[in-house]
Amino acid sequence: MHFENDLLFAQKADEKGELKDFRNKFFIPQHNGSDAIYFVGNSLGLQPKKVKDYIQQQLDDWAQFGVEGYWQAKNPWINYQDDFTTPLSKIVGCLPAEVVAMNQLTVNLHLLMVSFYRPTKTRYKIICEAKAFPSDQYAFESQVRFHNLNPEEAIIEIKPRNGEYNLRTEDIISTIRQHSNETALVLFGGINYYSGQFFDLKKITEAAHDAGAYAGFDLAHAAGNVELKLHDWNVDFACWCSYKYLNSGPGGIAGAYIHERYATDLNFPRFAGWWGYEKDTRFQMGKGFKPIPTAEGWQLSCTQVLPMAVHKAALDIFEEAGIENLHTKRKNLTAYLHFILSDINQNKKIFEIITPANKEEHGCQVSLLFNEKGKEIFHALTENGVMADWREPDCIRVAPVPLYNTFADVWRFGNIIQNILQQ
Ligand SMILES: *Cc1c(COP(=O)(O)O)cnc(C)c1O
C-alpha cells in the first residue's frame, strides 16, 4: 500500500478499507466532547455496544428461570462454554476441540504448567524470554519453588544481544539446544508486552520438541491481534486473556489451548474439577474423574455465565468481521503507523522504534523509546486526547487496533506529536 502523511489520504483509506463500519459497534472514550484516539486496546479493548443486551439476556433468564436457566435459558448455561470453541479456534488457529474459554489468564497458566511442567531430576529447566510479563515471571518462579527447585538454576531467561532490543530467533534456538538435555519446558509470550516483538512460535516449538521439551505460549498480546496457527505449528499448549485485543471486558474470561494429542489423552495429568467431567454422566456425581476428551477436560468450575456473555458479544464481532479482513486491516494500519512515525522522525532522532520493523515480527503495537522528553511528550499526548501507555523508562506504547481504530486516528496521532515537537 502507498502512504501519504495527509489527513485526506487517511480518511480515504478509512472509506475504502476493510471493516469501516465496525468502529460503530464500540463505545469510544471521549475527550473534550469528541472521540479520543484510543491506542491502548493492547491493555483494555473497548466495550462492544451490544454487551449490555448480552448480559441483560442472562439476567432476564436468571430472573425468569432460576436454576432452570441451565436448561431453559436462551443459550442454556449448561453448554454455554461450547459457543466459544469455534470462534476461538479461528482466532488462535486450532481445532475446536483444542480450545476452551475458562478462568483468567494467570490461573490458566498455572493449570497448564501443572500439566506440562513436571520436572525430573535431570530435566527441570524452563526457558523463557527475559522481561516476560511480571505475572508470568511470578508464575514460573512459584511453580519452580513448588517442585523444590531453585529458580536461579531452573529458569533460563534469554536476553537480547548488547545494544539490541529484540531477541533473535537463532539465539532462542541455540539457547534451547544448549540446555536440551535439561529443559522441561520452553514457555514464551507470543508477543512480548513491552517491545511488541512477535516471536516465531513455529520455530521455537520445533526447537523445544527437538530438545525433548514441551512448548507453550502466553498469547495475551497475540490473541485477536496476529495470525496464529497453533495446531499446525504443533504448539503443545497456550493461554490468553480476553480483555486486551479480544474486547471482553476488565478481568474477562480467559482461554486455553491444548493440542489434541493431550486433550484426547484421558490420563494426561491435570488438576480436575467437576466441569471437566464427561458431560453425559457428570450429574451422576460418581466417584473417579473422567475427563471430557477435549480441552474442556481442563475446566474446573461451572460456567461463568456473566463474563462469558461479554465474551460472546465481543467474539460475535470477530465472527462478523472475518479473521482475514481483520488481519488485512491490521497490517495496513500498522504499516501506516510505521510510515507516519518514520516521516516525523526523519531528521531528528527523537525516538527509536524498538518494535521489530519486519511485518512478520509485530502485531498492532509499536513501542517508542524516547531519547529525551519522553514523559513530557506523553503528557502532551494525553492532553491532546491520545490515550497511550507509558512504561518506565522512556517508553510509549501505542496500538491502533483494526476493529475500531482508523487511519485518521493514526494520522492525528502523528500530527499531534509533530505539533508537540515544534513547540
Ligand atoms: C496482560 C497479561 C497478563 C495478565 O494476567 P491476568 O491473569 O489476566 O491478570 C499476564 N501475562 C501477560 C503476558 C499479559 O500480557
Side-chain angles (χ1 to χ4, degrees), residues 264-284:
T264 54
D265 176 357
L266 304 186
N267 295 316
F268 202 74
R270 73 193 75 191
F271 280 176
W274 75 317
W275 227 251
Y277 196 93
E278 225 180 49
K279 289 180 195 176
D280 294 343
T281 51
R282 182 189 289 152
F283 289 99
Q284 293 174 10

Side-chain angles (χ1 to χ4, degrees), residues 196-413:
Q197 179 179 13
F198 179 22
F199 297 113
D200 191 330
L201 308 199
K202 182 167 184 260
K203 288 207 175 122
I204 294 174
T205 301
E206 269 166 21
H209 289 172
D210 286 347
Y214 289 124
F217 297 95
D218 180 333
L219 304 176
H221 281 265
N225 177 7
V226 288
E227 281 158 297
L228 297 166
K229 295 199 168 84
L230 298 184
H231 179 88
D232 290 350
W233 295 339
N234 213 9
V235 168
D236 295 308
F237 71 92
C239 48
W240 53 90
C241 57
S242 67
Y243 48 80
K244 291 170 180 165
Y245 293 98
L246 295 176
N247 311 314
S248 301
I253 200 94
Y257 153 91
I258 297 142
H259 192 284
E260 66 172 340
R261 64 179 159 265
Y262 316 109
T264 54
D265 176 357
L266 304 186
N267 295 316
F268 202 74
R270 73 193 75 191
F271 280 176
W274 75 317
W275 227 251
Y277 196 93
E278 225 180 49
K279 289 180 195 176
D280 294 343
T281 51
R282 182 189 289 152
F283 289 99
Q284 293 174 10
M285 310 281 199
K287 224 177 140 48
F289 178 67
K290 292 188 194 138
I292 301 168
T294 71
E296 289 185 359
W298 268 256
Q299 292 174 118
L300 300 181
S301 297
C302 61
T303 319
Q304 291 172 270
V305 172
L306 294 177
M308 279 188 182
V310 184
H311 201 22
K312 179 124 178 62
L315 294 190
D316 281 354
I317 297 178
F318 278 81
E319 285 283 286
E320 195 185 333
I323 204 85
E324 302 283 319
N325 292 327
L326 197 78
H327 291 311
T328 305
K329 178 161 175 206
R330 189 249 310 156
K331 285 175 192 163
N332 289 335
L333 199 59
T334 318
Y336 190 51
L337 176 61
H338 280 261
F339 164 81
I340 292 283
L341 287 172
S342 65
D343 196 49
I344 57 185
N345 202 28
Q346 261 170 16
N347 309 319
K348 299 177 238 168
K349 275 234 134 222
I350 308 149
F351 53 77
E352 213 174 327
I353 297 179
I354 63 174
T355 307
N358 175 2
K359 294 199 296 292
E360 308 302 318
E361 288 182 83
H362 66 236
C364 299
Q365 179 182 324
V366 175
S367 304
L368 308 170
L369 198 62
F370 280 79
N371 299 321
E372 52 180 30
K373 296 194 186 157
K375 202 130 212 186
E376 283 167 64
I377 291 170
F378 180 73
H379 287 310
L381 283 170
T382 309
E383 276 166 28
N384 283 283
V386 177
M387 298 177 71
D389 171 279
W390 174 260
R391 293 283 141 149
E392 296 292 344
D394 304 324
C395 181
I396 296 178
R397 302 185 308 166
V398 287
V401 312
L403 279 177
Y404 48 77
N405 284 124
T406 60
F407 287 85
D409 280 343
V410 170
W411 181 84
R412 288 199 181 93
F413 168 71

Side-chain angles (χ1 to χ4, degrees), residues 42-43 104-109 129 132-137 188-193 218-222 240-244 251-252 254 397:
N42 55 344
S43 255
Q104 289 192 270
L105 170 54
T106 309
V107 175
N108 288 343
L109 189 56
E129 85 245 51
F133 192 87
S135 198
D136 299 41
Q137 293 184 37
F188 264 70
I191 290 186
N192 180 272
Y193 80 99
D218 180 333
L219 304 176
H221 281 265
W240 53 90
C241 57
S242 67
Y243 48 80
K244 291 170 180 165
R397 302 185 308 166

